[in-house]
Amino acid sequence: MRRLLASALATAAVAACATAVTAPAAHADPAAISSVSVKPALAVQTKVNKQKINVEVRTSTGVDSVTADLQARVGDGQMFVILKEVQPGVWQGWDYLYNWEAAGTWTADIEASDYDSDAGDVKKTSSFQVRRGTYVSGFKASPGKVRKGKAISVSGSLKGLGSYGEYYGLKKGKIVVYFKRKGTKSWVKYGTVTTGSGGKFLKKFKAKTSGYWLARYDGTGYWYRSYSAGKGVVVR
């Protein structure tokens, strides 16, 4: 009986050792990135030299480090951010965007690492937009009083932010002219004009009724939109 019991115990011990040897090693789950947020999603560069760009990344728990490499797709501009975990799975960081850096689409290449996992780093790419500021300068609708049927001249100039924080005249900018009849609330598109040398524009319309004139620039993938204040004209 004792021999049978000893033999059974020995067989069980051998099986346990075999199981311990052949069982696969346990590994931590690979890191995962669930979301990336860059704010502002549309950054507008002005004469102010720099503005803060905030990055937030949400990951699986257990991630040990997160970095964000922000770069302009075209032209010079880059920020490298080492994010900090502010609560489990939530990483935040920021850097400055300077007004000389390139406008357009920027990419945000995110990399998260889990040092206990052999699955390697996980990466995710997002994007955000940067535009250079503009404004409509010296807008006029003249004369301020005019007889019905006579010409009204709408004029001004479009300015855009240069690489050194200065504004200059933007040539070939499309200006849309709007009119709002006195006593109404709706602006109606009346025509378009393209800026010339120094960003200047001039467009003439036939006087029909009293109201307000406005010039708007809708911007591009590089330039931000802008518009003038309304200028009133009395038609007699």
Side-chain angles (χ1 to χ4, degrees):
M1 186 68 168
R2 290 180 178 177
R3 289 180 180 180
L4 291 174
L5 180 59
S7 177
L9 291 174
T11 302
V14 170
C17 291
T19 301
V21 171
T22 58
H27 297 290
D29 292 335
I33 298 173
S34 58
S35 67
V36 177
S37 173
V38 181
K39 294 183 178 179
L42 172 55
V44 181
Q45 296 164 310
T46 66
K47 290 192 73 172
V48 177
N49 184 42
K50 60 186 180 181
Q51 62 180 299
K52 185 181 286 187
I53 303 297
N54 296 287
V55 182
E56 181 178 285
V57 177
R58 293 180 178 266
T59 70
S60 55
T61 56
V63 168
D64 294 297
S65 71
V66 178
T67 60
D69 188 7
L70 314 180
Q71 296 189 55
R73 285 186 182 174
V74 178
D76 295 328
Q78 183 175 19
M79 293 174 274
F80 186 78
V81 184
I82 299 175
L83 284 73
K84 294 182 178 180
E85 191 173 24
V86 296
Q87 63 186 69
V90 180
W91 299 76
Q92 294 178 345
W94 59 270
D95 202 352
Y96 286 119
L97 170 73
Y98 291 87
N99 64 7
W100 54 263
E101 294 184 282
T105 300
W106 282 54
T107 57
D109 293 324
I110 310 300
E111 184 172 298
S113 300
D114 182 350
Y115 302 151
D116 294 328
S117 172
D118 58 3
D121 299 336
V122 62
K123 300 179 181 180
K124 190 179 184 69
T125 297
S126 185
S127 65
F128 65 103
Q129 300 296 317
V130 177
R131 300 285 186 272
R132 302 194 73 75
T134 67
Y135 71 96
V136 179
S137 172
F139 179 70
K140 295 179 181 179
S142 59
K145 295 181 180 181
V146 63
R147 290 187 179 276
K148 187 174 183 178
K150 296 295 184 179
I152 295 174
S153 296
V154 175
S155 63
S157 60
L158 177 65
K159 304 290 186 180
L161 182 73
S163 299
Y164 299 98
E166 83 293 354
Y167 284 89
Y168 67 96
L170 288 182
K171 191 176 180 180
K172 296 183 179 180
K174 182 181 177 181
I175 300 294
V176 183
V177 179
Y178 290 87
F179 178 74
K180 182 175 70 171
R181 185 174 180 176
K182 186 178 180 180
T184 66
K185 296 182 179 180
S186 299
W187 290 94
V188 178
K189 180 179 176 181
Y190 255 52
T192 60
V193 58
T194 302
T195 61
S197 178
K200 296 179 181 179
F201 64 90
L202 171 65
K203 185 79 171 178
K204 293 186 177 182
F205 300 91
K206 184 180 290 187
K208 296 180 180 179
T209 185
S210 298
Y212 300 89
W213 296 87
L214 176 146
R216 174 173 176 142
Y217 173 62
D218 288 329
T220 66
Y222 188 90
W223 298 104
Y224 191 59
R225 64 180 180 270
S226 59
Y227 54 90
S228 72
K231 296 294 183 179
V233 172
V234 177
V235 177
R236 298 176 176 177

